[in-house]
Amino acid sequence: MAAPMVHFYFQLIAFAFLHQCAGTSPEEFFKSGHTNNWAVLVDTSRFWFNYRHVANVLSIYRSCKRLGIPDSRIILMVADDMACNPRNPRPATVFNNANNQINVYGDDVEVDYRGYEVTVENFIRVLTGRLPPSTPRSKRLLSDEHSNVLVYMTGHGGDGFLKFQDAEEISNVELADAFEQMWQKRRYHEVFFMIDTCQAESMFQKFYSPNILAVASSKVGEDSLSHHVDPSIGVYVIDRYTYYALEFLETVTPGSKKTMGQFLEVCPKYQCISTVAKRTDLFRRDVNKVLLTDFFGSVRNVELLPDSIHLQNATLHTHSEDSSYVKSDKPLNYAQQFPMPV
Amino acid sequence: MPGRRWITTIISLGHAAQTFLITINSKVQHYHLFPKSLGDVLTTYKVKELHLSQTQGLWKHEKWGYPPEDAPPGDELWVWFQPHSGVDQTWADLVNALSGLFCASLNFMDSKSTVQPRWSFRPAGLASEFYSANSRFVRYSTLPREVVCTENLTPWKKLLPCGSKIGLASLLNSVKIYDGFYHSLGVHVRSVCQDTQCLTPATELKQTLTVVYDPTTNKNGKQDWSFQSMFDRTLQSQCPLADTRKIYVDVTTQETLPKFSLSPVPDFVLNQKRSGEERKIAVYQIGNHLSPSSLNLKAMYEEKLTFSNSSLPPVYANRFVTGYGLERGGVTCMIYNTMSSNTTVIFMETVPWFLRVYFSSLRIENDGKEIKPYKINFIPAKDRANPYQMELVFRLFANSVTKITYSFERAFLKWTEYPPDANHGFYVSSAVVSTVLPVASQYTATSQSVSLLEESFSDSSSSFFLRLHTETLLVSLPTPDFSMPYNVICLACTVVAIAFGSLHNLTTRDFTASDPSKRKGLVAKLKSFFKKEKESPENKPDSKEEEIPSQKDKDNSKSEEKDSKKKDGNSET
């Protein structure tokens, strides 16, 4: 058949190009197998006393951004606003530490789904890509078969479910099916699923799609605990697992060689009190050889194509038909703003 | 270059309100200054005019006069489209695209909260008579609940040609801005004349940011302010792409009480003369003040702040909910006219469908006398489809208060329609009051035909269009107890357990009379209890056969004896 032959031909050319440019050998280029990174970070809790869940997700968001994943590749879902909440004594800031060392909210944050938009339906639609046609790009997960996707969820959970905004729940079966849909539609190369809730292990027990590496902050039957209270706010500011995970991530730089194996060992029982559970059976590679930046950072490897592709600018055509910039023969007038007799 | 101008201004209105007015004037096809992300959205969705405001807080007209751009709390979006068919679908697509662009939940502006105002929101730019009289192409919607935070400021800053790194926009520190009483982001796109002949239109993009601070909370009771205290930064650079880079400070009250002095000294002072009002505006050309060190504009007051009765603006309004209980209620809006002349006003209200308005209860009163409105546009709501839309045109008499009242009935929503925090209540958007003022008293907006603030300083017109927004309302609806299913299950199970358990015991237990002389003492009971525990593994299989008559041999007869002892034990205890 022609297709495999062409494909093979392509690869040869790609190989040839690579040898000539950079210093990367083909083995290194295809080692991790992914060409782009995405992150889907979800906080499912509403109300001021769940401040720590927002701090959790913003800490991971900050780490992802710092290690190179751009905003256009991060889908951040925050169910309630803590930074500009009237109860926040320090507006436009969210701290994950009572010492207020890092403002995880930052100056450059882009929240894609906020408030009432964080629902189970929207979350599953984002993962599976079945969004209405009018959804803007910033709200879509446009991953392909070479994308490594980091999925982080935090909130209140139980055995087999995760609560969304005190109103609805997502079950572990639904979540496993969503990942399977992603696999069938070739929407990921590898997924790293991180969850910080009570009885978090139950959420990944039902996964059955390949190439998923999962870690949870507690086993079934255990509760994940919060770390400490900020007396000036009166609520807990961060959960234990995310606090120690963030401590680890703060030592990682974009060029770091730290492995996922090391990350999975973060927060032993004496620190977390709950047992950190992990699932590596669906993951093909050895976790001790996988770089942390494969999921948290952004890969800049490039696929070279010998052909050039002409892109059509859809809006250019409407411009020429746009009659509003045509010179008129009569002078134009401003509209009368108050149409009634004064 | 023709058709490309960019102005940044910041004005201080003398009561710690700062407004950043950044105006870009260009043709949309040229994206040198005009942001491409917004331009693409405007062309794809055939938008002629777009006005988006994102506000947190309420502008107090009685204390602060009129802002350059009035905005209601929450998000407000009104758009005029190019004439085409299927405007409803285009509107739905546009709000989705804008929600991605501005990180706001604008996609909730669906048909349930969208109206087509007939008289209140005429185009602000160039438009023909025929086009603006037709409300087919306008859509107006608000989200009173929407929060505005750094994630909305970030895309707003990204629309600026110089971004947020240099120029006046570098002063915008989100931590300080969101600490104020009131902050409002605005994006206004309209078509304007390119030159005096006005044969070709150009697109104007005006971005505004209005913030109100309270400087007295920082210092020792004095109203001093400076860039350092307001933004925690000083102005260190200016944007080279801008044509005009100026700062305007209102110094009308500089010589009278409260006295204050500006440092550095302004470049010159302009007189703003508008019908009925004269203001003195100090002007700074940013370029003159950046060297040797950065510009830290300071105002130092000589005395502590004393509160006095400031003069009231010509027209202002208050609105509130009346009534009690969860079945009925009413809304009252008081519009105050402090001028000595009558004026016509257009009052627009959008009420959600679940507050069923009684049109027959609508009354407009002035000093007890009923006023008959000149025109009414009332479109009743359709459940879960359209909101109530009401526009009234009536006369405001001089020096009086006009009261508009109507009553409503609260509807029951379906249980899936309640938001996750249903007990918070439901919001009703601001009412919009539009009028034309004969005097520019406390009026700071730019006039329609100009883009630069400076150009409107010598405005010789005698009519000033004013639009103000009232408060939003928070209304409770009859909300079910969402913990009810759990409670019902507990209660029902308890009742079943007690009823069924008792019946089962009554029907299946066999009661035999006991001999009081055979009653055992406490010690003896304990002994026999421990004895039974030891023998229980042998007894267990037999004890199950209590009810089933078994025709077994001598082994069972022994156990039957033991069983009877056990039964005795049961009936005694």
Side-chain angles (χ1 to χ4, degrees), chain A residues 65-104:
Chain A
K65 272 184 83 161
R66 200 174 50 81
L67 294 172
I69 307 185
D71 267 316
S72 53
R73 295 275 164 95
I74 303 181
I75 301 207
L76 180 61
M77 300 172 81
V78 178
D80 201 1
D81 169 59
M82 298 300 163
C84 289
N85 196 305
R87 286 161 116 160
N88 191 349
R90 296 172 289 256
T93 59
V94 173
F95 293 105
N96 60 356
N97 198 316
N99 301 336
N100 301 338
Q101 289 152 350
I102 320 167
N103 172 16
V104 288

Side-chain angles (χ1 to χ4, degrees), chain B residues 300-344:
Chain B
M300 280 154 309
Y301 284 77
E302 287 171 21
E303 283 147 22
K304 282 196 191 177
L305 176 67
T306 49
F307 290 99
S308 56
N309 273 336
S310 50
S311 58
L312 291 170
V315 175
Y316 62 99
N318 274 327
R319 193 176 69 143
F320 44 89
V321 180
T322 57
Y324 58 90
L326 289 174
E327 197 188 342
R328 278 178 261 270
V331 173
T332 301
C333 185
M334 320 270 269
I335 309 183
Y336 299 82
N337 182 359
T338 58
M339 297 186 290
S340 51
S341 58
N342 299 343
T343 184
T344 310

Side-chain angles (χ1 to χ4, degrees), chain A residues 46 81 84 91 105 107-108 110 114 116-117 134 136 139 165 319 324-325 328 332-335 337-339 341, chain B residues 28 93 96 99 105 107 122 125 127 145-147 149-151 154 158 174 193 198-199 201 203 344 420-421 448:
Chain A
R46 175 167 275 277
D81 169 59
C84 289
Y105 196 58
D107 220 1
D108 192 23
E110 275 181 32
R114 65 199 307 225
Y116 297 135
E117 289 176 284
S134 52
K139 286 181 162 178
Q165 290 207 54
H319 263 303
S324 62
Y325 296 104
S328 82
L332 301 161
N333 288 317
Y334 283 99
Q337 294 218 278
F338 195 77
Chain B
V28 178
D93 293 339
N96 272 299
S99 81
S105 312
N107 46 320
R122 287 292 162 93
R145 181 84 200 268
E146 194 68 10
V147 172
C149 207
T150 315
E151 68 246 29
T154 312
K158 287 189 180 160
S174 59
C193 293
C198 210
L199 291 171
T203 311
T344 310
D421 52 351
Q448 193 183 17

Side-chain angles (χ1 to χ4, degrees), chain B residues 442-454:
Chain B
Q442 304 191 40
Y443 186 78
T444 51
T446 48
S447 40
Q448 193 183 17
S449 51
V450 299
S451 306
L452 285 176
L453 189 67
E454 215 171 298

Side-chain angles (χ1 to χ4, degrees), chain B residues 319-456:
Chain B
R319 193 176 69 143
F320 44 89
V321 180
T322 57
Y324 58 90
L326 289 174
E327 197 188 342
R328 278 178 261 270
V331 173
T332 301
C333 185
M334 320 270 269
I335 309 183
Y336 299 82
N337 182 359
T338 58
M339 297 186 290
S340 51
S341 58
N342 299 343
T343 184
T344 310
V345 81
I346 305 177
F347 177 79
M348 182 175 121
E349 274 240 32
T350 311
V351 183
W353 64 267
F354 43 80
L355 298 178
R356 305 191 201 277
V357 174
Y358 291 115
F359 181 65
S360 54
S361 63
L362 179 66
R363 267 177 69 84
I364 309 174
E365 275 176 5
N366 186 321
D367 203 20
K369 282 183 299 208
E370 185 163 349
I371 297 181
K372 204 163 166 302
Y374 173 56
K375 279 199 180 187
I376 302 181
N377 178 30
F378 182 85
I379 302 179
K382 214 160 137 183
D383 272 11
R384 299 175 182 87
N386 299 318
Y388 285 93
Q389 185 184 342
M390 183 157 51
E391 271 177 285
L392 310 170
V393 184
F394 54 92
R395 200 91 174 126
L396 278 184
F397 294 122
N399 286 319
S400 66
V401 181
T402 312
K403 189 163 82 161
I404 306 163
T405 51
Y406 59 88
S407 46
F408 59 80
E409 196 181 64
R410 299 169 212 231
F412 278 105
L413 295 180
K414 294 184 183 166
W415 72 283
T416 48
E417 289 173 344
Y418 287 95
D421 52 351
N423 288 300
H424 182 90
F426 293 80
Y427 282 84
V428 179
S429 18
S430 302
V432 183
V433 176
S434 317
T435 185
V436 174
L437 297 176
V439 289
S441 161
Q442 304 191 40
Y443 186 78
T444 51
T446 48
S447 40
Q448 193 183 17
S449 51
V450 299
S451 306
L452 285 176
L453 189 67
E454 215 171 298
E455 287 166 6
S456 59

Side-chain angles (χ1 to χ4, degrees), chain A residues 319 325, chain B residues 26-31 34 39-40 42-43 203:
Chain A
H319 263 303
Y325 296 104
Chain B
S26 70
K27 284 192 167 188
V28 178
Q29 287 109 321
H30 298 160
Y31 290 122
F34 200 96
D40 260 352
L42 296 176
T43 29
T203 311

Side-chain angles (χ1 to χ4, degrees), chain A residues 11 29 31 38 43 49 58 105 107 113 123 135 146 158 174 183 187 190 192 195-196 201 204 241 266 279 287 305 318:
Chain A
Q11 273 195 326
F29 183 81
K31 206 161 58 170
W38 285 80
D43 151 60
F49 52 84
L58 289 174
Y105 196 58
D107 220 1
Y113 287 84
F123 175 63
T135 317
H146 295 299
E174 284 170 3
W183 175 251
R187 281 171 66 77
E190 281 168 349
F192 178 51
I195 179 161
D196 190 353
E201 189 196 21
F204 62 63
Y241 180 68
V266 152
R279 186 156 178 195
V287 287
L305 299 173
T318 56

